[in-house]
């Protein structure tokens, strides 16, 4: 149920990796695909270039989850680079990643210092600021 009392959602978070096409190109694709949506708001969540990079941003959070930290990721666009780095970091911490480490996303994010992570990554900052802006619009 939405805030307006009907079954349509008030907000949809559209999540997709930028996949080296760039944040602005992905936002345009989402906007083009959604068309005119007067009934709900879309907030894009677009890790640039890949979601696995977001999970590697806070080495201290990684340490709290796995008992061993990880190196901060650089900003490169290379297919599967961050997938491999996440897998390697989880393996180095002594855990076997069944899904490449992405299965630990909730635990890692729960431990993250979000403000520090936002400073380290423009795409994460953009998503969280847009989401916060939307929440502020709903406040009386």
């Amino acid at each position: 149920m939405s805030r307006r009392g009907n079954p349509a959602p008030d907000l949809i978070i559209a999540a997709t990796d930028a996949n080296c096409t760039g944040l602005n190109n992905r936002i345009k694709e989402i906007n083009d695909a959604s068309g005119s949506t007067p009934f709900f708001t879309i907030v894009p969540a677009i890790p640039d270039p890949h979601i696995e990079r977001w999970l590697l941003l806070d080495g201290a959070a990684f340490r709290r989850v796995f008992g061993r930290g990880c190196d901060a990721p650089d900003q490169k666009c290379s297919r599967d680079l961050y997938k491999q780095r996440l897998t390697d970091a989880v393996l180095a911490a002594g855990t076997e990643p069944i899904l490449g480490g992405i299965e630990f996303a909730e635990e890692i994010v729960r431990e993250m210092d979000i403000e520090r992570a936002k400073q380290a990554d423009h795409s994460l900052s953009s998503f969280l600021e847009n989401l916060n802006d939307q929440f502020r619009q709903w406040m009386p």
Side-chain angles (χ1 to χ4, degrees):
M1 185 76 66
S2 76
R3 293 180 322 108
R4 293 179 302 271
N6 65 36
D10 290 313
L11 174 73
I12 292 177
I13 296 175
T16 182
D17 288 343
N19 286 334
C20 304
T21 65
L23 192 57
N24 291 334
N25 287 338
R26 279 293 204 215
I27 290 171
K28 182 180 180 326
E29 289 174 5
I30 288 171
N31 290 336
D32 289 349
S34 64
S36 176
T37 56
F39 301 111
F40 55 86
T41 299
I42 295 176
V43 174
I46 306 171
D48 189 13
H50 305 285
I51 187 66
E52 291 83 3
R53 184 174 189 283
W54 283 6
L55 298 176
L56 296 167
L57 289 174
D58 187 342
F62 201 90
R63 183 179 309 106
R64 286 189 291 277
V65 172
F66 294 104
R68 178 182 171 153
C70 64
D71 293 332
D74 50 7
Q75 182 70 36
K76 290 186 179 181
C77 190
S78 175
R79 186 161 178 81
D80 296 328
L81 172 68
Y82 298 106
K83 288 179 190 336
Q84 189 60 53
R85 286 196 179 169
L86 179 60
T87 298
D88 291 347
V90 172
L91 283 169
T95 301
E96 183 71 33
I98 296 169
L99 300 174
I102 198 75
E103 66 269 33
F104 302 106
E106 184 177 346
E107 294 170 67
I108 296 168
V109 170
R110 189 178 308 122
E111 295 295 331
M112 284 178 96
D113 178 334
I114 296 297
E115 290 304 315
R116 185 173 49 207
K118 281 172 45 177
Q119 292 175 6
D121 187 90
H122 172 72
S123 64
L124 178 61
S125 179
S126 176
F127 163 57
L128 293 173
E129 291 302 320
N130 289 335
L131 189 59
N132 280 330
D133 287 347
Q134 184 59 48
F135 290 156
R136 279 190 286 272
Q137 288 179 26
W138 290 341
M139 298 302 289

